[in-house]
Amino acid sequence: MTGLIHHTPTRRAMLAITALVFAGLAVQTLIRPDLVAQAVGNGLRSTNDYSELHAIYAGLWLGHTALGLLAARHADRQPLLGDVLALLIFSQAVGRVMSAAQWGWPDGVLRVMMVVEVISGLTLWLVRPSQGVQPK
C-alpha cells in the first residue's frame, strides 16, 4: 500500500496516540461501564449485558491498544500492522454506515465517533513509513 506522506516518526506517533486513545476507552469501560453503555445506547440489565459490553468494547479496545503499540514499535519494519489497525478502525465506521442504510445515522457521541473513525482510519493509511518497505 502506498500513502501520500512517507514519514516513519509521524506514523509511529499516530499509532501510539491511537493506542493510548483505545486504552483510555477500555479503562473507562472497565471503571464506568454504565457511563459507556449509556453513551453508546446500551442498557445494562443483566450479567450478559455487562459481559457483552466488556467483550465488545473493553476487550476489543484493549486489542486495538495492543495492536497499536506493536504497530508503533515496528512501524518501519512491519507497516502491515498499522494497516490492520487502520482497517479495524475504519471498519467500525463502515458498520455504522451499513446500519444507517436501514436505521438512520447515529446521534450524539456515536456520530462523533464515526467521524473520528473515518478520519483516523484513512490517516493511518495515508501516512506510510519513510523507507517504503516492500513485502518479500
Side-chain angles (χ1 to χ4, degrees), residues 84-121:
V84 170
L85 180 59
L87 177 64
L88 289 172
I89 296 168
F90 192 75
S91 294
Q92 292 172 229
V94 170
R96 295 182 200 285
V97 170
M98 291 187 301
S99 175
Q102 185 173 3
W103 305 102
W105 293 101
D107 292 326
V109 71
L110 291 183
R111 183 172 293 185
V112 172
M113 287 176 70
M114 183 178 73
V115 170
V116 170
E117 291 158 359
V118 169
I119 292 169
S120 60

